[in-house]
Amino acid sequence: QACETIDMQKVIGVLLILLLFSCGKQRLWVKGKVQQKSFAREIPVQIKNGLIFVEVFVNGRPCNFLMDTGAPTLIDAQLVEELGLKTKAFGTAVDSYDRRNRIDYTVLETITIDSINFIRQGALISDLRSVPVFDCLDIDGLLGANLMRNACWQMDYKNEVIRIQEDCEGFIYSADWIVMPFRVNNQGTPKLSVTLGDSLRLSDVTLDFGSSSGLSLDLEAVEEMFDPAGADLFTAGAAGVGLYGVELDSIWFMSPKGLFTSRQDLILPDVRARIRRKGGHLFGTQILREFRSTIDWKNNELVLEPVPMGEKRSPVWNNFGCALQPNGEILEVAQLVYPSLAVESGLVLGDTVVAINSRPVDATDFCEARALFGATDPIELTIQRQENHLTVNLRQQDLFDAPQNKSNKKP
């Protein structure tokens, strides 16, 4: 992803967690159920950068939903108006960067996935299209944990399908399966416990199929084993995107040896952890896409089956070391990775991008720019800095393995 736009950035990731504070509204999360008593379906899905997009029907209308175990079910405000749904005040929502806002909810009479009917499902309401990230993704809502907890779900990245059954008893697992117990919060989101390296035990790790990052950790929790000054690489500028906008902060990356379950079963021998100041611990799709994953809410277990991905494995650390974001009427360089070729080339945070491969661009081209950046070919950016115009040529690199990895760190 060449100098990727910030929404699907493999280093930044898309993060959306809603922590909900509201007296007497916990019943919203336990209303829904599945109409059928017995069901088993295999459903093709679209996968983009590890995120799973599912066609659903809301009260009979076809919609594109992002599967997100780290959030409750959420529906776009425009769709609520189109369907004429009744709304009620819910309370306060907090996004993944601790920004708060009032939020409403509705009850969806029927959400149909294939031929499975989830009925009387509570859903929060948000103007997703007002956030450039979600507008580009062209999603109508999030398929959240409060709905998903009513069935057994298996995510098969290799074959690009999901399987939904009334329970997990019909699944046959491979001999090298890994079982991770979890607890759930009020909305049904699974919370895992893991061990990092030799001794760092972490609890309350959110299982998040709505995050395109891998293992994200709070800086405070890893202080004893991690010094930001010794990070393999780090970012400056935009740290990521939450429901209420872009967060400005640094992110640090380290490569501890070994990620284990709470039972000391090895999940991955090498993992690249993303350290940040806010947002809690996340277990995202950069890890999950290496497995066939089954979420068993009845027994509170996540089952991981290692699956060789072959050519389907994404080179998740190959990019151009920068990210773009709309700012008013312009596109600007909103994030830089240190060290990277983007930094070596002279890019500066806040640079205005006026052309990509000689084609003029501005903020209205944000979504189209994402498509242009999907290719792996070298890319040319034309930058305006004050009164000067500069041309910057970039190519992809593995941010961890580049030969100049330690040569251009920011002081």
Side-chain angles (χ1 to χ4, degrees):
Q1 314 291 349
C3 193
E4 295 185 356
T5 46
I6 203 168
D7 48 320
M8 299 294 283
Q9 223 280 348
K10 291 170 184 157
V11 174
I12 295 177
V14 175
L15 305 174
L16 176 60
I17 305 173
L18 298 180
L19 307 175
L20 302 161
F21 299 90
S22 180
C23 296
K25 296 287 172 59
Q26 302 300 346
R27 66 183 182 275
L28 175 64
W29 307 131
V30 296
K31 273 188 174 182
K33 63 179 182 178
V34 181
Q35 188 175 56
Q36 295 90 341
K37 298 297 183 183
S38 178
F39 53 92
R41 301 288 187 272
E42 181 177 282
I43 303 164
V45 294
Q46 187 177 25
I47 298 175
K48 300 178 181 178
N49 196 32
L51 301 177
I52 298 174
F53 297 85
V54 186
E55 182 184 45
V56 307
F57 290 83
V58 177
N59 295 357
R61 182 199 186 277
C63 302
N64 181 35
F65 272 45
L66 167 65
M67 197 177 74
D68 190 352
T69 53
T73 298
L74 185 145
I75 187 169
D76 181 60
Q78 293 182 27
L79 181 57
V80 170
E81 184 176 354
E82 178 185 328
L83 294 174
L85 302 177
K86 294 181 179 179
T87 67
K88 295 182 180 179
F90 181 84
T92 300
V94 183
D95 77 359
S96 49
Y97 295 100
D98 203 31
R99 288 181 292 253
R100 290 167 166 78
N101 206 347
R102 302 290 295 177
I103 199 165
D104 293 338
Y105 80 96
T106 188
V107 175
L108 306 177
E109 289 301 324
T110 308
I111 298 182
T112 302
I113 306 174
D114 196 86
S115 57
I116 305 170
N117 296 322
F118 295 82
I119 58 176
R120 300 289 298 166
Q121 294 291 329
L124 299 181
I125 303 168
S126 181
D127 186 7
L128 293 175
R129 303 291 179 172
S130 67
V131 181
V133 167
F134 300 115
D135 189 37
C136 291
L137 292 175
D138 193 29
I139 58 174
D140 299 301
L142 305 179
L143 204 59
N146 62 309
L147 178 147
M148 294 179 66
R149 72 191 303 179
N150 293 304
C152 175
W153 297 68
Q154 184 174 88
M155 279 59 73
D156 187 337
Y157 279 94
K158 185 174 183 179
N159 295 303
E160 299 187 1
V161 299
I162 59 173
R163 301 177 183 95
I164 311 175
Q165 298 185 176
E166 73 272 13
D167 57 46
C168 297
E169 294 180 3
F171 289 128
I172 300 174
Y173 303 121
S174 60
D176 52 355
W177 63 332
I178 302 166
V179 179
M180 300 184 69
F182 61 76
R183 66 174 186 83
V184 297
N185 62 12
N186 288 323
Q187 70 191 26
T189 291
K191 298 287 186 173
L192 306 167
S193 295
V194 300
T195 299
L196 193 62
D198 295 331
S199 58
L200 182 62
R201 291 178 172 82
L202 301 169
S203 59
D204 209 34
V205 180
T206 297
L207 175 64
D208 196 354
F209 276 90
S211 168
S212 60
S213 63
L215 185 67
S216 297
L217 305 173
D218 271 351
L219 177 60
E220 184 177 352
V222 297
E223 285 180 322
E224 294 183 4
M225 69 176 296
F226 173 70
D227 178 4
D232 295 321
L233 56 88
F234 69 97
T235 72
V241 181
L243 185 61
Y244 301 126
V246 176
E247 176 73 9
L248 300 178
D249 201 355
S250 289
I251 301 172
W252 301 270
F253 294 85
M254 66 174 185
S255 304
K257 295 297 182 183
L259 177 64
F260 301 86
T261 71
S262 59
R263 299 169 176 174
Q264 294 303 306
D265 295 318
L266 179 65
I267 301 171
L268 291 172
D270 297 290
V271 64
R272 289 166 177 172
R274 177 180 185 269
I275 315 299
R276 56 191 184 154
R277 289 189 179 94
K278 296 179 182 178
H281 307 320
L282 300 179
F283 194 92
T285 59
Q286 277 184 18
I287 295 173
L288 292 164
R289 67 187 305 158
E290 303 288 331
F291 301 90
R292 183 169 64 185
S293 306
T294 305
I295 309 177
D296 184 349
W297 265 279
K298 284 188 177 179
N299 296 303
N300 283 11
E301 290 181 340
L302 170 67
V303 178
L304 300 177
E305 301 173 83
V307 177
M309 292 295 291
E311 294 181 358
K312 286 184 177 289
R313 175 175 281 118
S314 173
V316 294
W317 298 103
N318 285 0
N319 66 50
F320 285 54
C322 63
L324 306 184
Q325 176 71 12
N327 183 5
E329 297 181 354
I330 65 171
L331 275 179
E332 69 177 15
V333 176
Q335 187 224 45
L336 289 171
V337 181
Y338 295 82
S340 70
L341 294 175
V343 173
E344 263 194 357
S345 71
L347 282 179
V348 175
L349 289 174
D351 278 345
T352 299
V353 179
V354 295
I356 300 169
N357 292 337
S358 300
R359 181 189 180 280
V361 294
D362 59 26
T364 62
D365 299 301
F366 179 59
C367 295
E368 187 176 350
R370 287 186 58 250
L372 292 174
F373 295 160
T376 59
D377 295 334
I379 199 165
E380 179 187 271
L381 299 181
T382 304
I383 300 298
Q384 180 177 330
R385 188 181 302 159
Q386 297 178 345
E387 302 302 320
N388 300 317
H389 282 75
L390 309 170
T391 298
V392 175
N393 293 290
L394 298 175
R395 61 177 175 81
Q396 279 196 353
Q397 66 176 138
D398 185 312
L399 294 174
F400 279 86
D401 297 336
Q404 42 58 269
N405 194 27
K406 300 296 180 180
S407 66
N408 61 341
K409 282 200 171 186
K410 187 178 180 181

